[in-house]
Amino acid sequence: MKWEENARKIVPYVPGEQPDVPGMIKLNTNECPYPPAPGVQEAIWAMQSRDLRLYPDPDARVLVEGLADYYGLKKEQVFVGVGSDDVLSMAFLTFFNGDKPILFPDVTYSFYDVWADLYRIPYETCGLDEEFHIRPQDYKRPNAGVIFPNPNAPTGVYEPLELVEEILEANRDVVVILDEAYIDFGGKSALPLIHKYGNLLVVQTFSKSRAMAGMRIGFAMGDEKLIKYLSDAKFSFNSYTMNRPTLALGVEALKDKAYFEEITGRIVITRERVKGELKKLGFTFPDSLTNFIFATHERIPGAQIFRALRERNIYVRHWDKPRISDYLRITVGTDEEMDTLLSFLKEYIQ
């Protein structure tokens, strides 16, 4: 049909499967296995009809100010959106408009190339080394922007801030975006570097460590000028991006630091225990500082283990892609869920 000639054709991002099977163990989308903070649950019951009837504050002030206070920033240094995907997409649209390609790793979050294609942004991928680490020299060439996750997804590898700063030093004339979706499970955030590098945008989310994937809260922190450009793009696109319940519940989540530290600590303890058990079963993996483990077995193909697990209603993530087709990304669930996973793997492998 003639009209199809003018349609934008994109190969879309494929999200993790969202099964709804009785008794399933869902370890495929890096959701938190524990509930949100008690204050979040109490705030849900306290909501009134006006929270659905009225438009939300387009400036999302209550959440922006809550985040600014939590991280010791000015409110002009914080931008919020509907999950970090929304924030990152808006950042691509706002900052990656040069003639040169943007740069990101070859094994990384698979939404980056989708956004680049959607917004007609030229890009080049930089190969990770054999241990899935970034090679900073690959980012010391002409480009129109840089983005990478730290820790990386799906590998779980964390890069020290010295490496991050080496890349920043080499790219002072373009925007560098650091996607820190998993930073709360290990490593140090690059947030302090925004005071030194006005071109650094740090993006985080409530979906993983704050157990609020269903509420879709993401945020960016950076120089006031960066945030102003992001906000201008947002208001040229959709003023009411975050609903009233989400804003209120996001603020409640920030209030309970003790609970936040408790559940992230529990996930880290479980992760380290499971690493040891997987090694005994013949798995190897990069050292993860996230809420997942990216593992491959010494003799059994990843796709085969993936199918066997799925038949038992245990869901993990698998990609049929170069370099990672034999790997499984396993979300760290509760101790009981991980024990069930390990019990099956012992039976299946041995």
Side-chain angles (χ1 to χ4, degrees):
M1 286 179 272
K2 188 70 175 176
W3 61 263
E4 287 189 273
E5 296 178 7
N6 296 320
R8 182 160 298 192
K9 301 172 183 69
I10 303 294
V11 178
Y13 171 76
V14 180
E17 185 178 4
Q18 294 291 344
D20 186 12
V21 180
M24 69 178 180
I25 295 178
K26 190 172 183 295
L27 306 174
N28 67 328
T29 49
N30 298 340
E31 294 146 322
C32 181
Y34 303 110
V40 173
Q41 299 173 64
E42 293 170 7
I44 291 173
W45 290 109
M47 286 181 181
Q48 303 176 26
S49 62
R50 67 177 184 179
D51 291 309
L52 302 180
R53 181 174 58 84
L54 301 178
Y55 278 113
D57 172 15
D59 292 316
R61 281 171 292 186
V62 65
L63 182 57
V64 167
E65 290 172 0
L67 285 162
D69 182 64
Y70 188 91
Y71 289 100
L73 302 172
K74 295 186 287 186
K75 60 183 176 58
E76 292 83 6
Q77 293 177 286
V78 179
F79 175 90
V80 297
V82 186
S84 60
D85 287 340
D86 179 47
V87 175
L88 289 166
S89 175
M90 194 62 65
F92 268 64
L93 181 66
T94 304
F95 300 119
F96 293 162
N97 294 293
D99 296 328
K100 300 181 180 68
I102 64 170
L103 306 177
F104 50 83
D106 64 335
V107 180
T108 195
Y109 187 30
S110 50
F111 229 141
Y112 296 163
D113 57 350
V114 174
W115 287 320
D117 288 337
L118 177 64
Y119 298 131
R120 308 287 172 86
I121 301 167
Y123 69 91
E124 293 178 4
T125 59
C126 304
L128 300 176
D129 69 17
E130 293 182 358
E131 302 298 323
F132 293 123
H133 280 280
I134 285 175
R135 294 181 287 207
Q137 63 270 24
D138 292 343
Y139 296 84
K140 298 177 181 180
R141 54 186 160 115
N143 66 77
V146 173
I147 181 169
F148 60 94
N150 198 33
N152 193 18
T155 66
V157 172
Y158 170 78
E159 304 291 359
L161 292 185
E162 291 79 9
L163 181 143
V164 173
E165 192 158 10
E166 183 178 349
I167 292 174
L168 283 165
E169 284 286 357
N171 291 280
R172 286 182 173 271
D173 294 332
V174 299
V175 172
V176 176
I177 302 174
L178 207 58
D179 182 353
E180 291 189 338
Y182 300 97
I183 197 64
D184 294 325
F185 301 103
K188 294 181 179 179
S189 172
L191 183 59
L193 295 178
I194 68 172
H195 304 293
K196 183 177 180 181
Y197 299 93
N199 61 323
L200 171 63
L201 191 72
V202 175
V203 178
Q204 296 186 13
T205 177
F206 280 45
S207 295
K208 320 299 182 185
S209 57
R210 296 193 184 275
M212 296 181 71
M215 294 307 299
R216 313 304 301 129
I217 301 175
F219 58 103
M221 299 170 286
D223 183 82
E224 293 177 42
K225 186 173 288 188
L226 287 180
I227 300 305
K228 175 66 163 58
Y229 281 126
L230 268 178
S231 297
D232 288 348
K234 167 192 169 181
F235 284 113
S236 301
F237 189 81
N238 180 4
S239 297
Y240 301 110
T241 56
M242 300 193 75
N243 62 62
R244 290 171 63 97
T246 297
L247 294 173
L249 299 181
V251 171
E252 287 300 324
L254 291 171
K255 292 178 181 178
D256 199 337
K257 189 173 183 179
Y259 182 81
F260 166 75
E261 293 175 348
E262 177 190 344
I263 63 169
T264 53
R266 287 168 68 181
I267 290 168
V268 168
I269 290 170
T270 302
R271 179 191 72 201
E272 296 306 306
R273 178 177 70 86
V274 172
K275 284 180 184 178
E277 295 300 318
L278 288 175
K279 285 180 180 177
K280 294 176 186 176
L281 295 173
F283 285 92
T284 57
F285 40 82
D287 187 31
S288 173
L289 290 184
T290 64
N291 68 337
F292 62 84
I293 301 168
F294 193 58
T296 182
H297 194 263
E298 59 190 1
R299 57 183 176 81
I300 305 176
Q304 181 178 326
I305 300 175
F306 170 77
R307 289 191 296 268
L309 286 167
R310 199 174 187 281
E311 288 174 3
R312 291 290 189 94
N313 289 333
I314 302 174
Y315 294 84
V316 298
R317 194 80 190 267
H318 174 259
W319 289 270
D320 186 16
K321 290 185 175 183
R323 299 191 68 183
I324 62 172
S325 60
D326 273 332
Y327 282 83
L328 300 173
R329 194 192 67 188
I330 305 167
T331 302
V332 178
T334 64
D335 282 314
E336 293 76 16
E337 289 173 330
M338 303 313 287
D339 287 342
T340 301
L341 169 77
L342 292 168
S343 178
F344 170 79
L345 290 173
K346 288 175 185 175
E347 175 189 339
Y348 183 76
I349 290 170
Q350 296 173 358

